[in-house]
Amino acid sequence: MQARVKWVEDTIFMAESGSGHLVIMDGPPEAGGKNLAARPMEMLLMGLGGCSSFDVVSILRKSRQDVRGCELEIKAKRTDTEPKVFTEIDLHFVVTGSQLKETAVKRAVELSAEKYCSASIMLGRAGVVISHSFSIVEQG
């Protein structure tokens, strides 16, 4: 896996993934950023969310659950001093579907957290306290 990041101007950077996709990033206002794009630490959270959500939906589909939607609400805390690393991250999955089994959703979230989501596992090994929860919304 590889990526490239190129400075565009001021605090704006363009990242290109190894698969050829582009993402623009901007620094925070306190560092001169203009709020034109997501900050790098926000990108890290969104990557974590994408990794975890992909796992949960994939596991639910494989277990033949009628999953119709999945939204992940992420809340994170960082240290006040440099480097402002994450200390806690809370992931709350809101899974929508028809007659979803609570045990299946719980298992999908646990498998993502403990076995499949490399982003979550990596951050946890680095000392970030990560909590996972879920709620189910019935859609008949």
Side-chain angles (χ1 to χ4, degrees), residues 3 5 27 29 34 44 46 60 71 113 140:
V5 177
K34 297 176 183 157
L44 186 60
M46 291 188 286
L60 288 172
E71 291 188 27

Side-chain angles (χ1 to χ4, degrees), residues 1-135:
M1 186 174 289
Q2 61 186 21
R4 300 183 94 177
V5 177
K6 181 181 177 183
W7 177 42
V8 177
E9 64 181 36
D10 300 321
T11 60
I12 299 173
F13 292 81
M14 179 177 62
E16 181 178 2
S17 68
S19 56
H21 299 280
L22 300 175
V23 175
I24 303 297
M25 294 177 283
D26 192 3
E30 60 270 15
K34 297 176 183 157
N35 201 30
L36 297 175
R39 318 271 185 279
M41 291 299 280
E42 292 173 325
M43 297 290 294
L44 186 60
L45 276 184
M46 291 188 286
L48 165 63
C51 182
S52 298
S53 296
F54 178 89
D55 291 340
V56 168
V57 170
S58 178
I59 293 165
L60 288 172
R61 283 182 165 174
K62 287 178 184 172
S63 58
R64 295 191 168 100
Q65 294 296 297
D66 187 6
V67 60
R68 298 179 185 179
C70 180
E71 291 188 27
L72 178 56
E73 300 165 356
I74 307 169
K75 294 180 183 172
K77 292 182 182 176
R78 295 171 67 183
T79 59
D80 292 329
T81 58
E82 298 291 343
K84 295 181 180 179
V85 298
F86 291 118
T87 56
E88 298 175 32
I89 300 174
D90 176 64
L91 304 173
H92 180 75
F93 296 86
V94 180
V95 184
T96 304
S98 178
Q99 299 178 3
L100 293 172
K101 294 181 184 173
E102 185 174 344
T103 55
V105 176
K106 182 176 189 265
R107 180 177 176 269
V109 170
E110 287 174 348
L111 282 172
S112 174
E114 298 168 6
K115 185 174 182 179
Y116 293 113
C117 180
S118 50
S120 179
I121 293 165
M122 178 181 65
L123 288 167
R125 288 181 182 166
V128 180
V129 176
I130 303 176
S131 59
H132 298 77
S133 60
F134 66 91
S135 56

